[in-house]
Amino acid sequence: MISLMKMSAHIAAKDLRGEYMVELYTLPTCGICHTIKTKLEQKGIQFEEKDFGIVAKQMGLDRAPVLHITTDDGEEYIMSPSKMNQWISRQ
């Protein structure tokens, strides 16, 4: 199985902790996906939008969006829209 890290062409950005890479897994008809995408853009956070179907199959997920953040300390998958909003607000 190919890992998400190998499949992705990450876009690097910086925050107070150092570099991080952000991917947003979405569906075309998902309203909250569009809202999170807009908030990332408004904050100037660089990200790559990906097809939710990729992560859903690999991780057994049934809800979009998923925010995938990779830092020097590891990676995190945020699946709750309220937690996504919190993370975006802290940037």
Side-chain angles (χ1 to χ4, degrees):
M1 184 178 283
I2 299 172
S3 75
L4 289 175
M5 294 291 292
K6 290 180 184 173
M7 291 172 53
S8 303
H10 292 287
I11 299 172
K14 279 196 156 288
D15 71 351
L16 297 175
R17 298 177 306 260
E19 285 194 13
Y20 62 89
M21 294 169 277
V22 178
E23 294 173 319
L24 180 63
Y25 291 86
T26 65
L27 291 170
T29 59
C30 169
I32 191 69
C33 297
H34 178 73
T35 300
I36 296 296
K37 179 180 172 180
T38 299
K39 288 181 180 188
L40 287 167
E41 290 169 343
Q42 288 173 341
K43 284 287 268 191
I45 299 170
Q46 294 180 340
F47 67 97
E48 185 171 354
E49 188 172 7
K50 297 280 199 162
D51 181 358
F52 177 75
I54 294 169
V55 73
K57 288 178 186 175
Q58 291 184 350
M59 298 181 71
L61 300 174
D62 61 356
R63 272 188 236 170
V66 173
L67 191 62
H68 178 215
I69 303 152
T70 305
T71 67
D72 294 337
D73 297 328
E75 59 185 336
E76 176 181 8
Y77 288 89
I78 302 175
M79 294 162 215
S80 160
S82 64
K83 290 186 180 189
M84 289 178 203
N85 285 323
Q86 290 171 3
W87 184 86
I88 292 167
S89 295
R90 290 192 310 264
Q91 305 312 303

